[in-house]
């Protein structure tokens, strides 16, 4: 049943106090400078009445958002807005690799002094974002929405297949044994435009199947390509426009170019653009095309449903071989760190990464069918669907969802909460090919669980499209 | 006074620029560029190529053309020369698969008129429109499709492939002579853009097999089998006054949106040319090339409803939207034109007046696909089934002659005959591989500045082109497929998937030949750096 849409939106600065440890690489990096601000953008959608519903969506410049931190944000909001269902809140990470560590412990051995502590940044993060949510919630007023789709080449498959059947992640292509890229890509740019009742454009959602990690190696705070995307959009559409960046299924995708890089660099230089600016240029052109096409097709009364559930996903099985290899690595790493504490800068995260595998194996001995409880959100907004997952989800799974969805457009959002500091969800062919993102330490859930995720997501979308919404 | 002084210096500056440009262009090492087009639209019905069933053309949606670019560097008989000819055709017959040889028909006419041009300096490529005249064989139409042209045309005038090929060759050769005669000093600039046009059309299913096209909205759908390449390789050409004369546009997609049309059409390249000329001037030439795209098509595999809606909202709905529509063609054209025009000022500011220019053609022997007895047995069995179907349908027409009053009555019969022939070629190829395990193919490599063009006669699966691009020393590598009569050249992965383009009947070469093509092409490219 169609109802009037109410909307509210806010943008909040979540740039940390410097220096700060940034996450995304195995080695410890302390950022001394902030090259761009980090922000979080809140979008509140609501319909009212007996069948009214609510969605509070927050896009964050972060590598990942630990599930316990999501819970803290919900609790903080609930304290201030006791009448809302706090489970209707979800947060997504754009996957910038130049944002602060958010996992409470286990990721790096961060100096105890002279650097912003993780617990302090987490507190700041929760306060800022919960305040922005409350503000956006109070701002909500009748509004309208339009959806559009265009294309931009902003993400490339990063898994390289060689003649012997193995795969490499972000490895070389200029070799005689290079055969292909392992998976597909999704160049759709899905957009949502929101206007208030004064017909003022207040928010734009941009969904791109590419993580924002072009400057991933820097010792700096940087929102990566989303910063120039937002700045470019604001320049065109108004400085007050709130921009939400959603990363679609892109576990095997990167903004880095895997071949013909020299040609791309040359074109950027001719245009006098940095790589993040070039990515922004492409995305903004797609946004512009959609806006020009759909701006007059606004919907203020529409079907709006938001289903939240805990979806149990079968975890990827840890073999004894996996266990023994991981255990040997951990033992060796501990010895190295004991011998030279400075070795922890390079080894600590990798050691803990493998120690998780050891613990999973030991847990399996008691529970041979471990399940990962994933927070699944599926939204119907008029003709479009929005669905979330907590992983770096390989592109094929997102494409399966989109192919089978009843929605006109399906916005897949990855990294809406992560166990520890995140986990890839690979396809079977990636597991067969091996390489970093498809090995056991990188995957809590494997291809079997991925298909369960696809099937259930499609099932919920189907239900939201049925006349009788269950 | 200030104004005059400013004006004087401006004029002086422009004179220097102009003088420098002219001086550079007068140098014998400078590039000379000539363009022309030839309308190769027949004036009567012809067979339309690209489907199993015969199609007798029922009019002209838009003209089918050949675009000719003549390039020369140096003077006299030793000058380096390349004649590029891009044709709105499905393939360019070259004697590889049948007796027809449009390529040599063109070459023979050109070298007769211009003896300084060598046959191997002429490259002819097809855009792979599936709505253009059939040029693959000079055999009778009854031998090609199992039904005579006279029967299909019901006694009305129609042009056979054996008549169309010399007709097209005459027109194209005239175009080459014109382009050669018009060549003038000019420059080029090299550009890279992006446009999401070609999409991988192979759908891998969960049971391990693949199919070409089909419905991805199925629990059986696993993933898109192969990769895509959305780069838009561009080469702009300028006269000495920095006026754009033409553009090479190279894209990893065949132009087959209107692939079921009974009206002749250049497909999305027509719309692209119209839109580009509207933006950049009526006199601008567009030479279209398909990069390796054997497993690609412009058809949308996932999200077609969303794209169709956007086609409508962008104002292209007049002649229908969705798969096979003119709206889809116009949307593709828009994406290409947006990139080309966006790059225009950058390209104009970066013209190379003396690009390094080299052209080498080599006959490269490639391993034929090694077929098994099981492949032959399976294909022969299928051929028998189609023979029976053909005989049955043929008898129906004989017994009921009024059937031919029905429009396109010949569709099913010609499908059965095409599939019958397709089954029979497998055993022919099996026997041929035993005595001629290698087949020579023409590979042209043309270096222009920091770019290189590398040709092949196949519907080359994208991975091979990507391998060449990844290993090439050139800044940009333009792969040009279908500079011959075609046949798919699939990857090992695709053969395992077993979809249409990878089965024995669709292929002359297999992965071994593909690997050899990559290696040999790169070895020629490397000699130029």
């Amino acid at each position: 049943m169609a109802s009037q849409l109410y909307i509210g939106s806010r943008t909040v600065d979540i740039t940390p106090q410097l220096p700060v440890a940034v996450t995304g690489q195995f080695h410890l990096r302390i950022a001394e400078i902030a090259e761009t601000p980090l922000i979080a953008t809140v979008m509140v959608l609501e319909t009212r009445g007996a069948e009214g519903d609510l969605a509070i969506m927050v896009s964050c410049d972060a590598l990942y958002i630990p599930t316990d931190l999501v819970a803290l944000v919900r609790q903080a909001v609930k304290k201030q807005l006791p009448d809302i269902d706090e489970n209707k809140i979800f947060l997504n990470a754009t996957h910038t690799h130049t944002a602060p560590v958010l996992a409470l412990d286990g990721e790096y051995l961060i100096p105890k002094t002279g650097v912003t502590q993780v617990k302090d940044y987490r507190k700041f993060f929760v306060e800022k974002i919960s305040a922005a949510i409350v503000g956006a919630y109070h701002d909500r007023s009748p509004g309208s929405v339009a959806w559009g789709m265009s294309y931009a080449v902003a993400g490339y498959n990063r898994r390289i297949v060689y003649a012997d059947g193995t795969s490499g992640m972000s490895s070389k292509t200029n070799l005689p044994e290079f055969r292909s890229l392992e998976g597909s890509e999704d160049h759709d740019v899905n957009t949502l435009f929101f206007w208030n009742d004064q017909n003022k454009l207040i928010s734009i959602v941009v969904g791109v199947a590419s993580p924002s990690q072009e400057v991933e190696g820097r010792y700096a705070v940087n929102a990566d390509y989303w910063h120039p995307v937002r700045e470019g959009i604001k320049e065109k559409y108004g400085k007050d426009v709130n921009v939400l960046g959603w990363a679609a299924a892109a576990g095997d995708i990167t903004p880095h170019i895997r071949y013909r890089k020299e040609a791309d660099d040359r074109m950027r230089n001719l245009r006098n653009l940095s790589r993040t600016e070039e990515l922004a240029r492409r995305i903004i052109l797609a946004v512009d095309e959609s806006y020009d096409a759909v701006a007059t097709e606004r919907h203020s009364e529409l079907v709006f449903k938001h289903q939240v559930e805990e979806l149990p996903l079968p975890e990827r099985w840890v073999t004894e071989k996996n266990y023994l290899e991981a255990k040997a690595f951990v033992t060796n790493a501990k010895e190295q760190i004991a011998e030279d504490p400075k070795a922890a800068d390079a080894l600590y995260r990798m050691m803990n990464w493998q120690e998780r595998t050891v613990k999973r194996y030991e847990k399996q001995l008691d529970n041979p069918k471990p399940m990962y409880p994933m927070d699944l959100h599926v939204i119907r907004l008029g003709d479009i669907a929005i669905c979330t997952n907590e992983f770096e989800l390989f592109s094929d799974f997102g494409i399966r969802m989109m192919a089978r969805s009843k929605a006109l457009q399906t916005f897949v959002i990855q990294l809406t909460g992560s166990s520890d500091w995140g986990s890839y969800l690979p396809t079977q062919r990636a597991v067969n090919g091996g390489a970093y993102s498809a090995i056991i330490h990188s995957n809590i859930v494997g291809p079997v669980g991925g298909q369960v995720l696809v099937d259930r997501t499609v099932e919920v979308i189907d239900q939201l499209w049925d006349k009788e919404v269950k | 006074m200030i104004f005059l002084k400013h004006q004087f210096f401006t004029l002086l500056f422009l004179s220097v620029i102009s003088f420098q440009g002219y001086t550079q262009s007068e140098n014998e090492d400078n590039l000379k560029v000539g363009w022309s087009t030839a309308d190769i639209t027949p004036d009567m019905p012809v067979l339309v190529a690209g489907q199993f069933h015969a199609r007798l053309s029922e009019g002209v949606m838009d003209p089918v053309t050949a675009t000719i670019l003549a390039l020369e560097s140096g003077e006299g008989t030793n000058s380096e020369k390349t004649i590029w000819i891009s044709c709105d055709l499905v393939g360019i017959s070259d004697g590889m698969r049948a007796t027809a040889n449009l390529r040599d028909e063109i070459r023979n006419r050109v070298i007769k008129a211009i003896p300084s041009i060598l046959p191997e300096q002429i490259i002819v490529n097809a855009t792979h429109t599936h709505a253009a005249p059939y040029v693959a064989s000079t055999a009778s139409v009854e031998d090609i499709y199992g039904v005579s042209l006279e029967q299909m045309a019901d006694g009305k005038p129609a042009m056979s492939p054996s008549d169309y090929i010399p007709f097209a060759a005459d027109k194209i050769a005239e175009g080459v002579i014109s382009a050669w005669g018009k060549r003038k000093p000019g420059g080029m600039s090299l550009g890279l853009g992006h446009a999401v046009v070609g999409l991988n059309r192979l759908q891998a299913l969960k049971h391990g097999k693949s199919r070409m096209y089909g419905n991805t909205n199925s629990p059986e759908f696993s993933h898109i089998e192969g990769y895509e390449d959305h780069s838009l390789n561009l080469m702009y050409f300028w006269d000495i006054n920095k006026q754009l004369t033409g553009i090479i546009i190279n894209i990893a997609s065949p132009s087959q949106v209107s692939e079921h049309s009974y009206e002749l059409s250049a497909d999305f390249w027509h719309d692209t040319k119209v839109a580009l000329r509207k933006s950049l001037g009526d006199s601008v030439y567009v030479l279209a090339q398909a990069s390796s795209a054997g497993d690609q098509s412009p058809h949308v595999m996932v999200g077609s409803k969303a794209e169709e809606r956007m086609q409508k909202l962008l104002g292209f709905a007049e002649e229908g939207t969705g798969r096979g529509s003119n709206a889809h063609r116009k949307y593709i054209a828009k994406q290409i034109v947006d990139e080309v025009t966006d790059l225009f000022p950058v390209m104009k500011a970066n013209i190379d007046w003396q690009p390094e220019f080299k052209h080498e053609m080599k006959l490269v022997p490639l391993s034929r696909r090694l077929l098994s007895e099981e492949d032959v047995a399976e294909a022969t069995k299928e051929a028998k089934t189609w023979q029976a179907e053909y005989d049955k349908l043929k008898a129906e027409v004989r017994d009921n002659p009024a059937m031919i009053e029905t429009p396109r009555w010949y569709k099913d019969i010609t499908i059965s005959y095409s599939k019958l022939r397709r089954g029979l070629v497998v055993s022919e190829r099996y026997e041929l591989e035993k005595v001629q395990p290698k087949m020579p193919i023409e590979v042209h490599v043309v270096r222009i500045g920091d770019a290189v063009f590398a040709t092949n006669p196949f519907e080359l699966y994208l991975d091979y082109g990507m391998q060449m691009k990844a290993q090439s020393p050139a800044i940009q590598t333009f792969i040009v497929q279908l500079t011959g009569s075609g046949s798919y050249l699939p990857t090992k992965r695709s053969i395992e998937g077993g979809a249409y383009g990878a089965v024995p009947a669709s292929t002359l070469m297999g992965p071994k030949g593909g690997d050899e093509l990559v290696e040999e092409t790169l070895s020629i490219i490397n000699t130029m750096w």
Side-chain angles (χ1 to χ4, degrees), chain A residues 295-344:
Chain A
T296 55
E297 203 193 64
R298 301 179 198 178
H299 306 264
S300 53
E301 290 192 7
L302 71 180
V303 176
F304 173 61
K305 289 285 165 194
H306 180 185
Q307 180 158 328
V308 187
E309 66 182 41
E310 185 182 288
L311 175 62
L313 298 173
E315 293 189 7
R316 183 174 168 183
W317 184 254
V318 183
T319 64
E320 188 177 8
K321 185 168 178 280
N322 297 148
Y323 165 71
L324 293 173
E325 285 172 357
K327 196 171 181 186
F329 182 91
V330 170
T331 304
N332 182 271
K334 280 181 178 167
E335 284 169 6
Q336 285 188 58
I337 292 169
E339 202 171 298
D340 175 14
K342 195 64 190 160

Side-chain angles (χ1 to χ4, degrees), chain B residues 226-437:
Chain B
Y227 198 61
E228 293 161 4
D229 174 6
H230 299 123
S231 61
L232 199 58
N233 280 295
L234 303 164
M235 191 169 279
Y236 296 64
F237 289 89
W238 313 84
D239 67 15
I240 55 169
N241 298 313
K242 289 192 172 184
Q243 293 301 304
L244 184 70
T245 58
I247 312 171
I248 294 176
I249 303 179
N250 180 292
I251 192 162
S253 179
S255 57
Q256 59 183 98
V257 172
S258 303
E259 64 176 308
H260 294 289
S261 173
Y262 279 72
E263 290 181 319
L264 296 175
S265 173
D267 212 275
F268 67 69
W269 284 114
H270 170 75
D271 307 274
T272 303
K273 289 172 184 175
V274 168
L276 260 175
R277 287 176 186 141
K278 196 172 171 188
S279 294
L280 300 176
D282 285 340
S283 61
V284 170
Y285 292 89
V286 178
L287 190 140
Q289 296 173 340
S291 183
S292 54
D295 46 351
Q296 311 289 304
S297 90
H299 301 306
V300 178
M301 296 291 107
V302 177
S304 56
K305 284 182 293 183
E307 168 152 331
E308 185 175 351
R309 170 176 171 264
M310 295 308 293
Q311 291 165 9
K312 186 179 165 192
L313 292 174
L314 285 163
F316 301 140
E318 204 172 304
E319 295 165 78
T321 55
R323 183 175 175 135
S325 69
N326 281 3
H328 189 196
R329 290 169 38 159
K330 287 186 166 60
Y331 188 34
I332 288 170
K334 178 183 184 301
Q335 290 181 70
I336 296 171
V337 172
D338 282 353
E339 280 291 279
V340 172
T341 51
D342 185 64
L343 273 172
F344 180 83
V346 179
M347 294 291 95
K348 191 168 185 175
N350 290 278
I351 300 172
D352 187 350
W353 298 100
Q354 292 183 328
E356 186 141 3
F357 179 41
K358 295 176 184 168
H359 179 173
E360 186 176 341
M361 189 283 281
K362 191 174 174 187
L363 281 175
V364 175
L366 298 182
S367 296
R368 292 181 189 273
R369 182 171 172 182
L370 188 60
L371 300 173
S372 66
E373 287 181 3
E374 289 75 30
D375 291 330
V376 175
E378 193 176 329
T380 307
K381 189 178 162 193
E382 278 182 28
K384 278 184 185 165
T385 305
W386 287 111
Q387 176 77 61
E389 177 72 6
Y390 171 69
D391 291 344
K392 187 188 85 165
L393 293 170
K394 192 82 176 167
E396 279 178 19
V397 177
R398 192 178 54 237
D399 298 343
N400 183 11
M403 274 177 72
I404 65 170
E405 302 296 322
T406 310
R408 303 173 188 176
W409 60 272
Y410 49 82
K411 183 176 177 182
D412 290 343
I413 302 178
T414 53
I415 288 174
S416 63
Y417 192 78
S418 294
K419 293 195 171 180
L420 154 64
R421 284 180 64 221
R422 187 175 149 81
L424 295 176
V425 296
V426 174
S427 70
E428 290 167 16
R429 289 174 190 172
Y430 174 76
E431 296 300 331
L432 197 57
E433 198 277 334
K434 290 181 190 169
V435 291
Q436 291 176 15

Side-chain angles (χ1 to χ4, degrees), chain A residues 29 31 41 49 156 206 242 313 349 459:
Chain A
R29 289 172 297 153
T41 311
Y156 302 88
V206 186
N242 301 285
L313 298 173
R349 194 179 197 260
E459 193 175 54

Side-chain angles (χ1 to χ4, degrees), chain A residues 151 185 260 271 289 400, chain B residues 222 227 229 307 334 342:
Chain A
Y151 301 108
E185 291 164 6
R260 66 171 127 71
R271 284 182 154 127
E289 183 180 272
R400 285 179 205 170
Chain B
S222 173
Y227 198 61
D229 174 6
E307 168 152 331
K334 178 183 184 301
D342 185 64

Side-chain angles (χ1 to χ4, degrees), chain A residues 147 151 174-175 179-180 185 187 260 263 266-267 271 281-282 289 297 396 400 403 408 429 451, chain B residues 190 194 206 217 222-223 227 229-230 307 309-310 331 334 342-343 463 466-467 470-471 475:
Chain A
W147 40 85
Y151 301 108
N174 60 342
L175 298 170
R179 286 295 174 271
S180 64
E185 291 164 6
H187 296 298
R260 66 171 127 71
R266 174 178 169 268
M267 295 309 297
R271 284 182 154 127
R281 185 188 70 81
R282 296 179 195 179
E289 183 180 272
E297 203 193 64
D396 281 355
R400 285 179 205 170
L408 179 72
R429 59 180 163 159
Q451 190 55 45
Chain B
L190 178 62
H194 296 87
K206 288 193 184 132
N217 181 4
S222 173
H223 57 270
Y227 198 61
D229 174 6
H230 299 123
E307 168 152 331
R309 170 176 171 264
M310 295 308 293
Y331 188 34
K334 178 183 184 301
D342 185 64
L343 273 172
D463 281 357
M466 187 166 56
Q467 290 165 27
Q471 294 180 62
I475 287 191

